[in-house]
Coordinates of all heavy atoms in Angstrom, one line a residue:
M1 N 92.7 84.3 121.2 CA 92.7 83.8 119.9 C 93.8 82.9 119.6 O 93.7 81.8 119.0 CB 92.8 85.0 118.8 CG 92.5 84.5 117.4 SD 92.5 85.9 116.2 CE 94.2 85.9 115.7
Q2 N 95.0 83.2 120.1 CA 96.2 82.4 120.0 C 95.9 81.0 120.6 O 96.3 80.0 120.0 CB 97.4 83.0 120.6 CG 98.7 82.7 119.9 CD 98.8 83.3 118.5 OE1 98.0 84.1 118.1 NE2 99.9 83.0 117.8
S3 N 95.2 81.0 121.7 CA 94.9 79.7 122.4 C 93.9 78.9 121.6 O 93.9 77.6 121.6 CB 94.4 79.9 123.8 OG 93.2 80.6 123.8
D4 N 93.0 79.6 120.9 CA 92.0 78.9 120.0 C 92.8 78.2 118.9 O 92.4 77.1 118.5 CB 91.0 79.9 119.5 CG 90.0 80.4 120.6 OD1 89.9 79.6 121.6 OD2 89.5 81.5 120.4
I5 N 93.7 79.0 118.3 CA 94.6 78.4 117.2 C 95.3 77.1 117.7 O 95.3 76.1 117.0 CB 95.5 79.4 116.6 CG1 94.7 80.5 115.8 CG2 96.5 78.8 115.6 CD1 95.5 81.6 115.3
K6 N 95.8 77.2 118.9 CA 96.6 76.1 119.5 C 95.6 74.9 119.7 O 96.0 73.7 119.4 CB 97.3 76.4 120.8 CG 98.4 77.4 120.6 CD 99.1 77.8 121.9 CE 100.3 78.6 121.7 NZ 100.9 79.1 123.0
F7 N 94.4 75.2 120.2 CA 93.4 74.1 120.4 C 93.1 73.4 119.1 O 93.0 72.2 119.0 CB 92.2 74.7 121.0 CG 91.0 73.8 121.2 CD1 91.0 73.0 122.3 CD2 90.0 73.5 120.2 CE1 90.1 72.0 122.5 CE2 89.1 72.6 120.4 CZ 89.0 71.8 121.6
I8 N 92.9 74.2 118.0 CA 92.5 73.6 116.7 C 93.7 72.8 116.2 O 93.5 71.6 115.7 CB 92.2 74.8 115.7 CG1 90.9 75.4 116.1 CG2 92.1 74.2 114.3 CD1 90.6 76.8 115.4
A9 N 94.9 73.3 116.3 CA 96.2 72.6 115.9 C 96.3 71.3 116.6 O 96.6 70.3 116.0 CB 97.4 73.5 116.1
D10 N 96.1 71.3 117.9 CA 96.2 70.1 118.7 C 95.1 69.1 118.3 O 95.4 67.9 118.3 CB 96.2 70.4 120.2 CG 97.4 70.9 120.8 OD1 98.5 70.6 120.2 OD2 97.4 71.8 121.7
H11 N 94.0 69.6 118.1 CA 92.9 68.7 117.7 C 93.1 67.9 116.4 O 92.9 66.7 116.4 CB 91.6 69.5 117.5 CG 90.4 68.7 117.1 ND1 89.7 68.0 118.0 CD2 89.8 68.5 115.8 CE1 88.7 67.4 117.3 NE2 88.8 67.7 116.1
Y12 N 93.7 68.5 115.4 CA 93.9 67.9 114.1 C 95.3 67.3 114.0 O 95.5 66.3 113.3 CB 93.7 68.9 113.0 CG 92.3 69.3 112.8 CD1 91.8 70.6 113.1 CD2 91.3 68.4 112.3 CE1 90.5 70.9 113.0 CE2 90.0 68.7 112.2 CZ 89.6 70.0 112.5 OH 88.3 70.3 112.3
G13 N 96.3 67.8 114.7 CA 97.7 67.3 114.6 C 98.5 67.7 113.4 O 98.0 68.3 112.4
L14 N 99.8 67.5 113.5 CA 100.7 68.1 112.5 C 100.5 67.5 111.1 O 100.5 68.3 110.1 CB 102.2 67.8 112.9 CG 103.2 68.3 112.0 CD1 103.1 69.8 111.8 CD2 104.7 68.0 112.6
D15 N 100.3 66.2 111.0 CA 100.2 65.6 109.6 C 99.0 66.3 108.8 O 99.1 66.7 107.7 CB 100.1 64.2 109.6 CG 101.4 63.4 109.9 OD1 102.4 64.0 109.6 OD2 101.4 62.4 110.5
T16 N 97.9 66.4 109.5 CA 96.7 67.0 108.9 C 96.9 68.4 108.6 O 96.5 69.0 107.5 CB 95.4 66.8 109.8 OG1 95.2 65.4 110.0 CG2 94.2 67.5 109.2
Q17 N 97.6 69.2 109.5 CA 97.7 70.6 109.3 C 98.8 70.9 108.3 O 98.7 72.0 107.7 CB 98.0 71.3 110.7 CG 96.7 71.2 111.6 CD 95.4 71.5 111.0 OE1 94.8 70.6 110.4 NE2 95.0 72.7 110.9
L18 N 99.7 70.0 108.0 CA 100.7 70.2 107.0 C 99.9 70.1 105.6 O 100.2 71.0 104.7 CB 101.8 69.1 107.0 CG 102.9 69.3 108.0 CD1 103.7 68.0 108.1 CD2 103.7 70.4 107.8
D19 N 99.0 69.2 105.5 CA 98.2 69.2 104.3 C 97.3 70.4 104.2 O 97.1 70.9 103.1 CB 97.3 67.9 104.3 CG 98.1 66.6 104.1 OD1 99.1 66.7 103.5 OD2 97.6 65.5 104.5
K20 N 96.7 70.8 105.3 CA 95.9 72.1 105.3 C 96.7 73.2 104.8 O 96.3 74.1 104.1 CB 95.3 72.3 106.7 CG 94.3 73.4 106.8 CD 93.0 73.0 106.2 CE 92.0 74.1 106.4 NZ 90.8 73.9 105.6
A21 N 98.0 73.3 105.3 CA 98.9 74.4 104.9 C 99.1 74.4 103.4 O 99.1 75.5 102.8 CB 100.2 74.4 105.7
I22 N 99.4 73.2 102.9 CA 99.6 73.1 101.4 C 98.3 73.6 100.7 O 98.4 74.5 99.8 CB 99.8 71.7 101.0 CG1 101.2 71.2 101.5 CG2 99.8 71.5 99.5 CD1 101.5 69.7 101.4
E23 N 97.2 73.2 101.1 CA 95.9 73.6 100.5 C 95.7 75.1 100.6 O 95.4 75.7 99.5 CB 94.8 72.8 101.2 CG 93.4 73.2 100.7 CD 92.3 72.5 101.6 OE1 92.5 71.4 102.0 OE2 91.3 73.2 101.9
E24 N 95.9 75.7 101.7 CA 95.6 77.1 101.9 C 96.6 77.9 101.2 O 96.3 79.0 100.6 CB 95.6 77.5 103.4 CG 94.5 76.8 104.3 CD 93.1 77.1 103.7 OE1 92.9 77.9 102.9 OE2 92.2 76.4 104.3
N25 N 97.9 77.5 101.1 CA 98.9 78.3 100.3 C 98.5 78.3 98.8 O 98.7 79.2 98.1 CB 100.3 77.8 100.6 CG 100.8 78.4 102.0 OD1 101.4 79.5 101.9 ND2 100.6 77.7 103.0
A26 N 98.1 77.1 98.4 CA 97.7 77.0 97.0 C 96.5 77.9 96.7 O 96.5 78.5 95.6 CB 97.4 75.5 96.6
E27 N 95.6 77.9 97.6 CA 94.4 78.8 97.4 C 94.8 80.3 97.4 O 94.2 81.0 96.6 CB 93.3 78.6 98.5 CG 92.6 77.2 98.4 CD 91.7 76.9 99.5 OE1 91.6 77.6 100.5 OE2 91.1 75.8 99.4
L28 N 95.8 80.6 98.2 CA 96.2 82.0 98.2 C 96.9 82.3 96.9 O 96.7 83.4 96.3 CB 97.2 82.2 99.3 CG 97.9 83.7 99.4 CD1 96.8 84.8 99.5 CD2 98.9 83.8 100.5
I29 N 97.7 81.4 96.3 CA 98.3 81.7 95.0 C 97.2 81.9 94.0 O 97.3 82.9 93.2 CB 99.2 80.4 94.6 CG1 100.4 80.4 95.5 CG2 99.6 80.5 93.1 CD1 101.2 79.1 95.3
V30 N 96.2 81.1 93.9 CA 95.1 81.3 92.9 C 94.5 82.6 93.1 O 94.1 83.3 92.1 CB 94.1 80.1 93.0 CG1 92.9 80.3 92.2 CG2 94.8 78.7 92.7
A31 N 94.2 82.9 94.4 CA 93.5 84.2 94.7 C 94.3 85.4 94.2 O 93.8 86.4 93.6 CB 93.2 84.4 96.2
I32 N 95.6 85.3 94.4 CA 96.5 86.4 94.0 C 96.5 86.5 92.4 O 96.5 87.6 91.9 CB 97.9 86.3 94.6 CG1 97.9 86.5 96.1 CG2 98.9 87.2 93.9 CD1 99.2 86.1 96.8
Q33 N 96.6 85.4 91.8 CA 96.6 85.3 90.3 C 95.3 85.9 89.8 O 95.3 86.8 88.8 CB 96.7 83.9 89.8 CG 98.1 83.4 89.9 CD 98.2 81.8 89.7 OE1 97.2 81.1 89.8 NE2 99.3 81.4 89.2
K34 N 94.1 85.6 90.4 CA 92.8 86.2 90.0 C 92.8 87.7 90.2 O 92.2 88.5 89.4 CB 91.7 85.5 90.7 CG 91.5 84.1 90.2 CD 90.3 83.4 90.9 CE 90.0 82.0 90.3 NZ 89.0 81.2 91.1
L35 N 93.4 88.1 91.4 CA 93.4 89.6 91.6 C 94.3 90.3 90.6 O 93.9 91.4 90.1 CB 94.0 89.8 93.0 CG 94.2 91.3 93.4 CD1 92.8 92.1 93.3 CD2 94.8 91.5 94.8
K36 N 95.4 89.7 90.3 CA 96.3 90.4 89.2 C 95.5 90.5 87.9 O 95.5 91.5 87.2 CB 97.6 89.5 89.0 CG 98.5 89.7 90.1 CD 99.9 89.1 89.7 CE 100.6 89.9 88.6 NZ 101.9 89.4 88.2
Q37 N 94.8 89.4 87.6 CA 94.0 89.4 86.3 C 92.9 90.4 86.4 O 92.6 91.2 85.4 CB 93.4 88.0 86.0 CG 92.7 87.9 84.7 CD 93.8 88.1 83.5 OE1 94.9 87.7 83.5 NE2 93.4 89.0 82.6
A38 N 92.2 90.5 87.5 CA 91.1 91.5 87.7 C 91.6 92.9 87.6 O 91.0 93.8 87.0 CB 90.4 91.3 89.0
R39 N 92.8 93.2 88.2 CA 93.4 94.5 88.2 C 93.8 94.9 86.7 O 93.8 96.1 86.4 CB 94.6 94.6 89.1 CG 94.2 94.7 90.6 CD 95.4 94.5 91.5 NE 96.4 95.4 91.2 CZ 96.5 96.7 91.7 NH1 95.6 97.1 92.5 NH2 97.5 97.5 91.4
K40 N 94.1 93.9 85.9 CA 94.5 94.2 84.6 C 93.3 94.4 83.6 O 93.3 95.4 82.8 CB 95.3 93.0 84.0 CG 96.2 93.3 82.8 CD 96.9 92.1 82.2 CE 97.9 91.4 83.2 NZ 98.5 90.2 82.6
S41 N 92.2 93.6 83.8 CA 91.2 93.7 82.8 C 89.8 93.5 83.4 O 88.8 93.4 82.7 CB 91.3 92.7 81.7 OG 91.4 91.3 82.3
G42 N 89.7 93.6 84.8 CA 88.3 93.4 85.3 C 87.6 94.6 85.7 O 88.1 95.7 85.6
T43 N 86.3 94.5 86.0 CA 85.5 95.6 86.4 C 85.8 95.9 87.8 O 86.5 95.1 88.6 CB 84.0 95.3 86.3 OG1 83.7 94.2 87.3 CG2 83.5 94.8 84.9
L44 N 85.3 97.1 88.4 CA 85.6 97.4 89.8 C 85.1 96.3 90.7 O 85.7 96.0 91.7 CB 85.1 98.8 90.1 CG 85.4 99.3 91.5 CD1 86.9 99.4 91.6 CD2 84.8 100.7 91.7
A45 N 83.8 95.9 90.3 CA 83.3 94.8 91.2 C 84.1 93.5 91.2 O 84.2 92.9 92.2 CB 81.8 94.6 90.6
E46 N 84.6 93.2 90.0 CA 85.5 92.0 89.9 C 86.7 92.1 90.7 O 87.2 91.2 91.4 CB 85.8 91.7 88.5 CG 84.6 91.1 87.8 CD 84.8 91.1 86.2 OE1 85.6 91.8 85.7 OE2 84.0 90.3 85.6
I47 N 87.3 93.4 90.7 CA 88.5 93.6 91.5 C 88.2 93.5 93.0 O 88.9 92.9 93.8 CB 89.1 95.1 91.2 CG1 89.6 95.1 89.7 CG2 90.2 95.4 92.2 CD1 89.9 96.5 89.2
R48 N 87.1 94.1 93.4 CA 86.7 94.1 94.9 C 86.5 92.6 95.3 O 86.9 92.2 96.4 CB 85.5 94.9 95.1 CG 85.7 96.4 95.0 CD 86.5 97.0 96.1 NE 86.9 98.3 95.8 CZ 88.0 98.7 95.3 NH1 89.0 97.8 95.1 NH2 88.3 100.0 95.1
K49 N 85.8 91.8 94.4 CA 85.6 90.4 94.8 C 86.9 89.6 94.9 O 87.1 88.8 95.8 CB 84.7 89.8 93.7 CG 84.2 88.4 94.0 CD 83.2 87.9 93.0 CE 82.9 86.5 93.2 NZ 82.8 85.7 92.0
A50 N 87.8 90.0 94.0 CA 89.1 89.3 94.0 C 89.9 89.7 95.3 O 90.6 88.9 95.9 CB 89.9 89.6 92.8
E51 N 89.8 91.0 95.7 CA 90.4 91.5 96.9 C 89.9 90.7 98.1 O 90.7 90.3 99.0 CB 90.3 93.0 97.0 CG 91.1 93.8 96.0 CD 90.9 95.3 96.1 OE1 89.8 95.7 96.6 OE2 91.6 96.0 95.6
E52 N 88.6 90.6 98.1 CA 88.0 89.8 99.3 C 88.5 88.4 99.3 O 88.7 87.9 100.4 CB 86.4 89.8 99.1 CG 85.8 91.1 99.4 CD 84.3 91.1 99.1 OE1 83.7 90.1 99.1 OE2 83.8 92.2 99.0
A53 N 88.7 87.8 98.2 CA 89.2 86.4 98.2 C 90.7 86.4 98.7 O 91.0 85.5 99.4 CB 89.2 85.8 96.7
V54 N 91.5 87.4 98.4 CA 92.8 87.4 98.8 C 92.8 87.6 100.4 O 93.6 87.0 101.1 CB 93.6 88.6 98.2 CG1 94.9 88.9 98.9 CG2 93.9 88.2 96.7
V55 N 91.9 88.4 100.9 CA 91.8 88.7 102.4 C 91.5 87.4 103.0 O 92.1 87.0 104.0 CB 90.7 89.7 102.7 CG1 90.4 89.7 104.1 CG2 91.1 91.1 102.2
S56 N 90.5 86.6 102.5 CA 90.2 85.4 103.1 C 91.3 84.3 103.1 O 91.6 83.7 104.1 CB 89.0 84.8 102.2 OG 88.6 83.5 102.8
E57 N 92.0 84.3 101.9 CA 93.1 83.3 101.8 C 94.3 83.7 102.6 O 95.0 82.8 103.2 CB 93.4 83.0 100.4 CG 92.3 82.4 99.6 CD 91.7 81.2 100.2 OE1 92.2 80.5 101.0 OE2 90.5 81.0 99.9
L58 N 94.6 85.0 102.8 CA 95.7 85.5 103.6 C 95.4 85.1 105.1 O 96.3 84.6 105.8 CB 95.9 87.0 103.5 CG 96.7 87.5 102.3 CD1 96.6 89.0 102.3 CD2 98.2 87.0 102.4
A59 N 94.2 85.2 105.4 CA 93.7 84.8 106.8 C 94.0 83.3 107.1 O 94.5 82.9 108.1 CB 92.3 85.1 107.1
D60 N 93.5 82.5 106.0 CA 93.8 81.1 106.1 C 95.3 80.7 106.3 O 95.6 79.8 107.1 CB 93.1 80.3 104.9 CG 91.7 80.3 105.0 OD1 91.0 80.5 106.1 OD2 91.0 80.2 103.8
V61 N 96.1 81.4 105.4 CA 97.5 81.1 105.5 C 98.1 81.5 106.8 O 99.0 80.9 107.3 CB 98.2 81.7 104.2 CG1 99.7 81.8 104.4 CG2 97.8 81.0 103.0
Y62 N 97.6 82.7 107.3 CA 98.1 83.1 108.6 C 97.8 82.1 109.7 O 98.7 81.8 110.5 CB 97.5 84.5 109.0 CG 97.9 84.9 110.4 CD1 99.0 85.6 110.6 CD2 97.0 84.7 111.4 CE1 99.4 86.0 111.9 CE2 97.4 85.0 112.7 CZ 98.6 85.7 113.0 OH 98.9 86.0 114.2
I63 N 96.6 81.6 109.7 CA 96.2 80.6 110.7 C 96.9 79.4 110.6 O 97.5 78.8 111.6 CB 94.6 80.3 110.6 CG1 93.9 81.6 111.0 CG2 94.3 79.1 111.4 CD1 92.4 81.5 110.6
T64 N 97.1 78.8 109.4 CA 97.8 77.5 109.2 C 99.3 77.7 109.5 O 99.9 76.8 110.1 CB 97.6 76.9 107.8 OG1 97.8 77.9 106.8 CG2 96.1 76.4 107.7
S65 N 99.8 78.9 109.2 CA 101.3 79.2 109.5 C 101.5 79.2 111.0 O 102.4 78.6 111.5 CB 101.8 80.5 108.9 OG 101.7 80.4 107.4
T66 N 100.5 79.8 111.7 CA 100.6 79.9 113.1 C 100.5 78.5 113.7 O 101.2 78.1 114.7 CB 99.5 80.8 113.7 OG1 99.6 82.1 113.1 CG2 99.6 80.9 115.2
E67 N 99.6 77.7 113.2 CA 99.5 76.3 113.7 C 100.8 75.5 113.5 O 101.2 74.8 114.4 CB 98.3 75.6 112.9 CG 97.0 76.2 113.3 CD 95.8 75.5 112.5 OE1 96.1 74.9 111.5 OE2 94.7 75.8 112.9
L68 N 101.4 75.6 112.3 CA 102.6 74.9 112.0 C 103.8 75.4 112.9 O 104.5 74.6 113.5 CB 103.1 75.1 110.5 CG 102.2 74.4 109.5 CD1 102.9 74.5 108.2 CD2 101.8 73.1 109.9
K69 N 103.9 76.7 113.2 CA 104.9 77.2 114.1 C 104.8 76.6 115.5 O 105.7 76.2 116.1 CB 104.9 78.7 114.1 CG 105.4 79.4 112.9 CD 105.6 80.9 113.1 CE 104.3 81.6 113.2 NZ 104.5 83.1 113.4
Y70 N 103.5 76.5 115.9 CA 103.2 76.0 117.2 C 103.5 74.4 117.3 O 104.2 74.0 118.2 CB 101.7 76.3 117.6 CG 101.2 75.5 118.7 CD1 101.7 75.6 120.0 CD2 100.2 74.5 118.5 CE1 101.2 74.8 121.1 CE2 99.6 73.8 119.6 CZ 100.2 73.9 120.8 OH 99.7 73.2 121.9
L71 N 102.9 73.7 116.3 CA 103.0 72.2 116.4 C 104.5 71.8 116.2 O 104.9 70.8 116.7 CB 102.1 71.6 115.3 CG 100.6 71.7 115.6 CD1 99.9 71.3 114.3 CD2 100.2 70.8 116.7
M72 N 105.3 72.5 115.4 CA 106.6 72.2 115.1 C 107.6 72.8 116.0 O 108.8 72.6 116.0 CB 107.0 72.6 113.6 CG 106.3 71.9 112.6 SD 106.5 72.5 110.9 CE 108.2 72.1 110.7
E73 N 107.1 73.7 117.0 CA 107.9 74.4 118.0 C 109.0 75.1 117.3 O 110.2 75.0 117.7 CB 108.4 73.4 119.0 CG 107.3 72.7 119.8 CD 107.7 71.7 120.9 OE1 109.0 71.6 121.0 OE2 106.9 71.0 121.4
I74 N 108.7 75.9 116.3 CA 109.7 76.7 115.6 C 109.4 78.2 115.6 O 109.9 78.9 114.7 CB 109.8 76.2 114.1 CG1 108.4 76.2 113.4 CG2 110.4 74.8 114.1 CD1 108.4 75.9 111.9
N75 N 108.5 78.6 116.5 CA 108.2 80.0 116.6 C 109.4 80.9 116.6 O 109.5 81.9 115.8 CB 107.2 80.3 117.6 CG 106.5 81.6 117.5 OD1 106.0 81.9 116.4 ND2 106.5 82.4 118.5
H76 N 110.3 80.6 117.5 CA 111.5 81.5 117.7 C 112.4 81.4 116.4 O 112.9 82.5 116.0 CB 112.3 81.1 119.0 CG 113.5 81.8 119.2 ND1 113.5 83.1 119.6 CD2 114.8 81.6 119.0 CE1 114.7 83.6 119.7 NE2 115.6 82.7 119.3
A77 N 112.5 80.2 115.9 CA 113.4 80.1 114.7 C 112.8 80.9 113.6 O 113.6 81.6 112.8 CB 113.5 78.7 114.3
V78 N 111.5 80.9 113.4 CA 110.9 81.6 112.3 C 111.0 83.1 112.5 O 111.4 83.9 111.6 CB 109.4 81.3 112.2 CG1 108.7 82.2 111.2 CG2 109.2 79.8 111.7
N79 N 110.9 83.6 113.7 CA 111.0 85.0 114.1 C 112.5 85.5 113.8 O 112.7 86.6 113.2 CB 110.7 85.3 115.5 CG 109.1 85.3 115.8 OD1 108.4 85.3 114.8 ND2 108.8 85.0 117.0
T80 N 113.4 84.6 114.2 CA 114.8 85.0 113.9 C 115.1 85.0 112.4 O 115.8 86.0 111.9 CB 115.7 83.9 114.5 OG1 115.5 83.8 115.9 CG2 117.2 84.2 114.3
E81 N 114.5 84.1 111.7 CA 114.7 84.1 110.2 C 114.0 85.3 109.5 O 114.5 85.8 108.6 CB 114.1 82.8 109.6 CG 114.4 82.5 108.2 CD 115.9 82.2 107.9 OE1 116.7 82.4 108.7 OE2 116.2 81.9 106.7
I82 N 112.9 85.7 110.1 CA 112.2 86.9 109.5 C 113.1 88.1 109.6 O 113.3 88.9 108.7 CB 110.8 87.1 110.2 CG1 109.8 86.0 109.8 CG2 110.3 88.5 110.0 CD1 108.5 86.0 110.6
E83 N 113.7 88.3 110.9 CA 114.5 89.4 111.1 C 115.8 89.4 110.2 O 116.1 90.4 109.6 CB 115.0 89.3 112.6 CG 114.0 89.7 113.6 CD 113.4 91.2 113.3 OE1 114.2 92.1 113.1 OE2 112.2 91.3 113.4
R84 N 116.4 88.1 110.0 CA 117.5 88.0 109.1 C 117.2 88.4 107.7 O 117.9 89.1 107.1 CB 118.0 86.6 109.2 CG 119.4 86.3 108.5 CD 119.8 84.9 108.5 NE 118.9 84.1 107.6 CZ 119.0 84.1 106.2 NH1 120.0 84.8 105.7 NH2 118.3 83.4 105.5
K85 N 116.0 87.9 107.2 CA 115.7 88.2 105.8 C 115.3 89.6 105.6 O 115.6 90.2 104.5 CB 114.5 87.3 105.4 CG 114.9 85.8 105.4 CD 113.8 85.0 104.8 CE 114.4 83.5 104.6 NZ 113.8 82.8 103.5
I86 N 114.7 90.3 106.6 CA 114.4 91.7 106.5 C 115.7 92.5 106.4 O 115.8 93.4 105.6 CB 113.5 92.2 107.6 CG1 112.1 91.6 107.4 CG2 113.4 93.7 107.7 CD1 111.1 91.8 108.6
E87 N 116.6 92.2 107.3 CA 117.9 92.9 107.3 C 118.6 92.7 105.9 O 119.2 93.6 105.4 CB 118.8 92.4 108.4 CG 118.3 92.8 109.8 CD 118.2 94.3 110.0 OE1 119.1 95.0 109.5 OE2 117.2 94.8 110.6
R88 N 118.6 91.4 105.5 CA 119.3 91.2 104.1 C 118.7 91.9 103.0 O 119.4 92.5 102.2 CB 119.1 89.6 103.9 CG 119.9 89.2 102.6 CD 119.6 87.7 102.4 NE 118.2 87.4 102.0 CZ 117.7 86.2 101.9 NH1 118.5 85.2 102.0 NH2 116.5 86.1 101.6
Q89 N 117.3 92.0 103.0 CA 116.6 92.8 102.0 C 116.9 94.3 102.1 O 117.2 94.9 101.0 CB 115.1 92.6 102.0 CG 114.4 92.9 100.7 CD 114.9 92.1 99.5 OE1 115.2 90.9 99.7 NE2 115.1 92.8 98.4
L90 N 116.9 94.8 103.3 CA 117.3 96.2 103.4 C 118.8 96.5 102.9 O 119.0 97.5 102.3 CB 117.2 96.6 104.9 CG 115.8 96.7 105.5 CD1 115.8 96.9 107.0 CD2 115.0 97.8 104.8
A91 N 119.6 95.5 103.2 CA 121.0 95.7 102.7 C 121.0 95.7 101.2 O 121.8 96.5 100.6 CB 121.9 94.6 103.3
R92 N 120.2 94.8 100.5 CA 120.2 94.8 99.1 C 119.6 96.1 98.5 O 120.1 96.6 97.5 CB 119.2 93.6 98.7 CG 119.9 92.2 98.8 CD 118.9 91.1 98.5 NE 119.5 89.8 98.6 CZ 118.8 88.7 98.6 NH1 117.5 88.7 98.5 NH2 119.4 87.6 98.7
I93 N 118.6 96.6 99.2 CA 118.1 97.9 98.7 C 119.2 99.0 98.8 O 119.4 99.8 97.9 CB 116.8 98.3 99.5 CG1 115.7 97.3 99.2 CG2 116.4 99.7 99.3 CD1 114.5 97.4 100.0
E94 N 119.9 99.0 100.0 CA 120.9 99.9 100.2 C 122.0 99.8 99.1 O 122.6 100.8 98.6 CB 121.6 99.6 101.5 CG 122.6 100.6 102.0 CD 122.0 101.6 103.0 OE1 120.7 101.5 103.3 OE2 122.7 102.5 103.5
E95 N 122.3 98.6 98.6 CA 123.3 98.4 97.5 C 122.7 98.7 96.2 O 123.4 98.5 95.2 CB 123.7 96.9 97.6 CG 124.6 96.5 98.8 CD 124.6 95.0 99.1 OE1 124.3 94.3 98.2 OE2 125.0 94.7 100.2
G96 N 121.5 99.1 96.1 CA 120.9 99.5 94.8 C 120.2 98.5 94.1 O 120.0 98.6 92.9
E97 N 119.9 97.3 94.7 CA 119.2 96.3 94.0 C 117.7 96.5 93.7 O 117.1 97.1 94.5 CB 119.3 94.9 94.9 CG 119.9 93.8 94.1 CD 119.9 92.6 95.0 OE1 118.9 91.9 95.2 OE2 121.0 92.2 95.5
Ligands
LIG1 MG1 91.2 78.9 102.1

């Protein structure tokens, strides 16, 4: 699967996939907003539909994020930053934040 994502990323190139990443992240924001609204005042069917949309957009964001990490050759840097941020957040929780 990882090689398929690389194939797709190479096929379209960085400039196109940067635009795709913007589009997919925006779609995820909208899907999350709709889920919040559905959880507040929607029917169970509307909540389930909104959850399915979040699943779909999270998948799109995962794929485009993986493409950007590959095309920009920043996979290691991102992993290091993830570790640093998790550690920082754990410290904040420890401090009672
Ligand atoms: Mg999408």
Side-chain angles (χ1 to χ4, degrees):
M1 189 177 91
Q2 213 67 7
S3 63
D4 290 335
I5 290 176
K6 288 179 180 177
F7 178 84
I8 294 165
D10 284 330
H11 177 79
Y12 290 108
L14 181 57
D15 285 332
T16 298
Q17 294 317 87
L18 285 170
D19 288 337
K20 185 75 176 163
I22 291 169
E23 178 187 319
E24 297 302 351
N25 278 275
E27 288 174 358
L28 176 59
I29 290 168
V30 172
I32 291 171
Q33 287 171 330
K34 286 181 178 172
L35 176 59
K36 285 191 69 174
Q37 189 59 46
R39 285 170 54 85
K40 202 185 292 178
S41 60
T43 64
L44 188 58
E46 287 167 338
I47 294 169
R48 291 292 171 258
K49 189 174 170 221
E51 286 173 344
E52 284 174 21
V54 169
V55 168
S56 175
E57 299 310 334
L58 278 173
D60 287 339
V61 165
Y62 174 84
I63 291 166
T64 50
S65 296
T66 302
E67 288 174 351
L68 293 191
K69 286 190 293 180
Y70 164 65
L71 289 169
M72 296 172 67
E73 300 180 4
I74 55 171
N75 196 49
H76 179 73
V78 171
N79 287 339
T80 301
E81 188 68 353
I82 288 169
E83 287 301 318
R84 189 186 70 78
K85 291 189 178 213
I86 291 171
E87 289 303 319
R88 185 183 63 185
Q89 197 60 41
L90 288 172
R92 285 174 176 167
I93 291 169
E94 189 100 357
E95 291 160 14
E97 232 180 79

